[in-house]
Amino acid sequence: MRASDLIPLVEQIDPFKKFGKIKRVVGIMLESQGPSTSIGDVCYIYTGSNGKKRRILAEVIGFKDEHVILMPYSNIQEISPGSLVESLGKSLEVKAGQALIGQVIDAMGQPLDGSTGSKGLVPVKTEQEPPNPLSRPTIREVIPVGVRAIDSMLTVGKGQRIGIFAGSGVGKSTLLGMMAKETKADVNVIALIGERGREVKEFIERDLGEEGLKKSVVVAATSDQPALMRIKGALTATAIAEYFRDQGLSVLLMMDSVTRVAMAQREIGLAIGEPPTTKGYTPSVFALLPRLLERTGTSEKGSITAFYTVLVDGDDMNEPIADTVRGILDGHFVLNRTLANQGHFPAIDILQSVSRLMNQLVSKGHLKAAEKLRETYSKYLQSEDLIQIGAYKKGSSREIDEAIRLYPKIKEFLKQATNEPSSFDESIQHLQQVIEEGSLS
């Protein structure tokens, strides 16, 4: 490089470091006098008597009475009045690249196994703008996920965004693991947000498995970490998925769960004085969700097919976060606790679930068979009480007779063990066989 080429780079360097001092600590919020900085910038807080013992990374989240409001990425036990605050003058960046595949990292992009990190990674910003709506290609291609009930009845397109709505303990993690192992996407990015520490390793070893991890990047931000770290876990996973999309790849992003991201944002909002509005959630929660969810989908270079799990308290599908997310995404899968209690896994309720793009993606024969199965299944459930108590007389309704005959085959079709892979073509063929057996009988 010539000396003349270095001049513009040298001119960009700020020769002055900007410092401030901690003045007040209230809960998880820090107030400092200075430095000159902007919303979203990251700062170092120096602790210890000599100012060099330890550096704590924090983010600027607001201003109050000419003071800077900071939120730390780690615990604040060593911070004291007068601790120096240094502004880095930029927002948070993490490293992304092919070398991340097969690794488990934290919200800051650092390996959780204690290794020093991989080479050949490039910095990417965690906060980015969604693609221009007019530059998004139309979704025209199916992406198989290896789950029979989804591929046949709720077909997903490459670049579609789906919400998985369920209460606790109905098989969300198992379903995500099945899709990660069997999907035809080039790479998986899996965000585990607000999980118990025990569950992270269990998910990787039991649900994801060695085969799934080989083509996955797992980002973990556990429930014991500060609220800002849980939000950054979601943003980091999305940024890494965007990096792979920009390389022209088909990416599968799975986030468990977006509800815990919203709860972390509520925690921050309340700390800085936002008024609680809808069921205790602050306005910033409903601003964050579309900003996060709209970043995925198709772009001119590649695609991110995204699955976001949503925890529904008491299986209430109309609680604020579930309602908001459902309105943003391109479909929703509902996991039914009654099915799970019956040992029916994956516990997908095909009558309450919908893929908004299925009609545009599949053949007329496939669509017709799926509609027929859904209609027959619904007809049986509507008459189930009469059938179970023996009040229904065979021959009273040809449709109910057909539903009774096909119900065991439909249940068997919709069930699938975790070690029972099913290709897209096999799922469609199996669906058509079930329908044809009903029409021949």
Side-chain angles (χ1 to χ4, degrees), residues 354-365:
V354 63
S355 170
R356 293 179 181 170
L357 297 178
M358 180 176 176
N359 292 4
Q360 306 167 27
L361 298 171
V362 302
S363 66
K364 289 183 178 179

Side-chain angles (χ1 to χ4, degrees), residues 251-268:
V251 185
L252 183 67
L253 171 67
M254 293 183 281
M255 189 175 295
D256 184 15
S257 71
V258 73
T259 306
R260 294 194 182 108
V261 177
M263 292 170 71
Q265 181 61 43
R266 177 176 66 181
E267 194 176 321
I268 291 174

Side-chain angles (χ1 to χ4, degrees), residues 129-374:
E129 291 297 317
N132 186 314
L134 296 183
S135 70
R136 289 184 185 265
T138 305
I139 298 172
R140 301 185 185 277
E141 188 179 346
V142 169
I143 181 166
V145 295
V147 179
R148 196 159 48 234
I150 295 175
D151 285 342
S152 62
M153 304 299 299
L154 302 160
T155 310
V156 177
K158 190 177 287 186
Q160 191 171 349
R161 301 160 306 146
I162 299 287
I164 300 176
F165 294 75
S168 56
V170 292
K172 296 186 303 296
S173 298
T174 304
L175 179 60
L176 293 180
M178 288 175 68
M179 291 192 290
K181 284 186 286 189
E182 304 300 335
T183 181
K184 299 304 178 187
D186 298 316
V187 61
N188 305 321
V189 180
I190 304 170
L192 303 177
I193 310 300
E195 293 279 3
R196 304 175 188 92
R198 169 185 61 82
E199 292 176 330
V200 173
K201 191 170 183 180
E202 281 186 5
F203 173 80
I204 293 167
E205 293 181 352
R206 184 190 62 197
D207 299 321
L208 186 59
E210 190 177 342
E211 281 301 309
L213 186 59
K214 281 181 181 177
K215 60 175 183 178
S216 303
V217 181
V218 179
V219 181
T222 52
S223 59
D224 61 296
Q225 294 181 314
L228 196 57
M229 282 290 273
R230 282 173 265 148
I231 294 173
K232 288 303 173 186
L235 296 175
T236 294
T238 305
I240 291 171
E242 288 171 326
Y243 167 83
F244 287 119
R245 178 177 64 185
D246 290 344
Q247 306 304 306
L249 299 178
S250 169
V251 185
L252 183 67
L253 171 67
M254 293 183 281
M255 189 175 295
D256 184 15
S257 71
V258 73
T259 306
R260 294 194 182 108
V261 177
M263 292 170 71
Q265 181 61 43
R266 177 176 66 181
E267 194 176 321
I268 291 174
L270 292 173
I272 62 175
E274 278 190 82
T277 53
T278 311
K279 288 196 175 180
Y281 287 100
T282 57
S284 61
V285 173
F286 302 101
L288 170 69
L289 289 175
R291 206 168 67 238
L292 173 67
L293 303 180
E294 284 292 343
R295 287 171 60 180
T296 55
T298 57
S299 76
E300 294 171 319
K301 297 177 181 177
S303 66
I304 301 174
T305 307
F307 289 91
Y308 299 96
T309 68
V310 182
L311 295 169
V312 286
D313 292 333
D315 298 325
D316 176 15
M317 289 293 295
N318 295 316
E319 64 95 25
I321 301 303
D323 201 41
T324 302
V325 171
R326 190 168 55 244
I328 297 170
L329 300 179
D330 309 316
H332 55 272
F333 300 165
V334 178
L335 302 190
N336 188 303
R337 188 174 300 279
T338 302
L339 290 176
N341 292 340
Q342 294 170 357
H344 180 127
F345 292 102
I348 301 171
D349 188 334
I350 61 168
L351 300 181
Q352 291 192 59
S353 305
V354 63
S355 170
R356 293 179 181 170
L357 297 178
M358 180 176 176
N359 292 4
Q360 306 167 27
L361 298 171
V362 302
S363 66
K364 289 183 178 179
H366 177 179
L367 192 61
K368 186 177 179 181
E371 289 173 348
K372 177 63 177 176
L373 187 142
R374 188 176 282 109

